[in-house]
Amino acid sequence: MSFDFDAVVVGAGAVGLACGRALSKRGLTVLVLEKDVHIGQGVSSRNSEVIHGGLYYPTGSLKAQFCVEGRRALYAFLASHKIDHWKCGKLVVATQEPEVARIEAIFEQATANGVEGLEHLTGAQARALEPELNAHAAILSPESGLFDSHGYMLALQGEIEDAGGSVVISAPFEGAEPLAGGGFTVRVGGEGAMEVSSRLLVTAPGLSSQAVAASIAGYPAIDIPPRHLGKGVYFRLVGKAPFNRLIYPPPIPGALGTHYRKDLGGQAVFGPDLVYVETEDYSVDPAKADEFAAYIRRFWPALPEGALTPDYAGIRPKLHGPGEPQPDFQLHGREHHGIDGLMALFGIESPGLTSSLAIGEAVADALQVS
């Protein structure tokens, strides 16, 4: 049977584009569908642009594996494509004695995960690196960094198109039907509404993952995990950035917590926090500045009064609610839903951006593409 495309990928964020690239590298014709008017307008454009080392995730989990593998591949990709990035390093800081055991546990977890170059630092050693830092002790992760996520996604798009594939914007996925002999009929909306056929189908639409899966005929509802929206806001500093390295307090339940970065433009940004919401609301309440300031002064006591200004917000596609254990990435293939040629991704939040190249390769491998 002939198909219009070898593979259709739903979602042109970092992970969807990385899946499209991995499939294209294997010689497949790929169509990536994006409902918005630009690529990467969802989860991929509303984050910290941090390259994570892989410190926090349970050993053997997909998050641990993909973060370390993806980070190594990402630095090589960014260098080869001349995309702006900065391996600035990260300090995970215990601001007082009771937090030392928590960062020690992170060190042990990171070591088990194969994270390179980790160092224990005393408070004095940490302050020698970052003089304005309040630190009782710290862990240095030299492999952590920052990058231009939009430049990265444009490069992924370029590789797909160079291989003969297409990335189509303003093209919402409206559903798919598995065909009796294998493959799918895919319905595409928008001004150029049409149907195309494809041998393989990958869904990586971030916050829309559950809705997209539900629109595939025959997809079992029991295999679609619940969706929770985790909103995080960011505040920008008015004034000179106080630190060069990423500064992270110990993580909070369900997230890594409000941290500091000096972005690629040289400005200081703090966030995100975590609040569960019911709708996609990207507003930032200026009144949260006082709450942020109190938290930030734990590791930067010299934060000036009134120096924080609202910046932006992001929403993470969480699979757990408040107080529930944080689950792993979920890549659902035939063994989950019973549909040949389909890979559905759920819960690709942090460290999904860092992990994206590794996720793409895993998806292509799982679909037995060689």
Side-chain angles (χ1 to χ4, degrees):
M1 182 177 178
S2 63
F3 297 96
D4 297 320
F5 297 93
D6 293 316
V8 167
V9 179
V10 181
V15 173
L17 290 167
C19 290
R21 172 186 182 259
L23 294 162
S24 295
K25 282 171 55 185
R26 289 157 171 78
L28 276 66
T29 56
V30 174
L31 171 65
V32 181
L33 300 174
E34 173 53 53
K35 64 181 176 63
D36 287 326
V37 297
H38 299 289
I39 65 171
Q41 294 300 293
V43 178
S44 297
S45 68
R46 295 177 171 274
N47 56 71
S48 300
E49 295 190 310
V50 167
I51 301 173
H52 290 287
L55 281 65
Y56 306 94
Y57 315 107
T59 304
S61 67
L62 294 180
K63 286 185 178 181
Q65 174 191 340
F66 291 159
C67 188
V68 173
E69 291 178 2
R71 183 246 304 157
R72 293 170 181 163
L74 181 57
Y75 276 124
F77 184 95
L78 297 172
S80 66
H81 289 75
K82 296 181 171 53
I83 298 165
D84 198 11
H85 65 286
W86 179 26
K87 192 185 284 190
C88 57
K90 172 197 289 189
L91 291 172
V92 183
V93 179
T95 60
Q96 52 189 327
E97 174 63 33
E99 293 178 339
V100 172
R102 294 176 63 193
I103 70 167
E104 285 298 318
I106 292 168
F107 187 97
E108 294 176 8
Q109 185 74 75
T111 301
N113 290 348
V115 180
E116 311 91 331
L118 299 171
E119 294 182 41
H120 291 282
L121 300 180
T122 64
Q125 289 171 324
R127 287 189 295 278
L129 296 177
E130 300 289 0
E132 293 197 48
L133 184 65
N134 174 39
H136 188 86
I139 297 167
L140 173 63
S141 169
E143 291 297 317
S144 302
L146 297 163
F147 74 118
D148 174 8
S149 62
H150 293 278
Y152 168 62
M153 289 186 282
L154 286 170
L156 292 174
Q157 177 181 357
E159 288 207 358
I160 294 167
E161 293 174 345
D162 286 348
S166 299
V167 178
V168 183
I169 58 173
S170 301
F173 172 85
E174 293 197 339
E177 287 79 36
L179 299 170
F184 302 86
T185 296
V186 178
R187 301 192 307 280
V188 184
E191 288 187 10
M194 60 181 175
E195 288 188 352
V196 298
S197 61
S198 177
R199 181 165 64 87
L200 304 170
L201 178 60
V202 178
T203 66
L207 298 176
S208 302
S209 295
Q210 285 81 355
V212 164
S215 68
I216 299 171
Y219 199 108
I222 196 171
D223 188 61
I224 301 176
R227 183 182 85 146
H228 299 276
L229 303 180
K231 180 177 178 179
V233 302
Y234 296 81
F235 281 79
R236 190 169 293 268
L237 179 71
V238 178
K240 182 181 177 182
F243 311 111
N244 283 320
R245 293 162 186 82
L246 298 160
I247 307 296
Y248 277 66
I252 62 175
L256 297 184
T258 300
H259 56 264
Y260 161 92
R261 78 181 191 273
K262 181 180 177 181
D263 68 17
L264 294 174
Q267 292 190 295
V269 183
F270 299 91
D273 60 351
L274 173 60
V275 177
Y276 285 88
V277 296
E278 296 298 323
T279 59
E280 293 184 39
D281 170 21
Y282 293 99
S283 63
V284 181
D285 182 0
K288 275 201 165 191
D290 290 342
E291 175 188 329
F292 265 63
Y295 189 90
I296 292 163
R297 288 195 177 99
R298 293 168 52 192
F299 61 85
W300 184 33
L303 170 66
E305 288 289 339
L308 297 178
T309 184
D311 199 4
Y312 65 101
I315 295 178
R316 288 154 277 184
K318 291 188 170 293
L319 301 181
H320 68 291
E324 298 175 354
Q326 188 168 14
D328 203 358
F329 293 151
Q330 294 192 22
L331 280 61
H332 288 198
R334 187 186 189 284
E335 69 279 9
H336 287 88
H337 47 60
I339 302 173
D340 285 327
L342 171 64
M343 181 62 68
L345 278 55
F346 300 98
I348 311 297
E349 56 165 326
S350 181
L353 188 58
T354 302
S355 304
S356 53
L357 290 175
I359 293 172
E361 294 297 326
V363 166
D365 288 344
L367 291 171
Q368 297 181 332
V369 179
S370 59

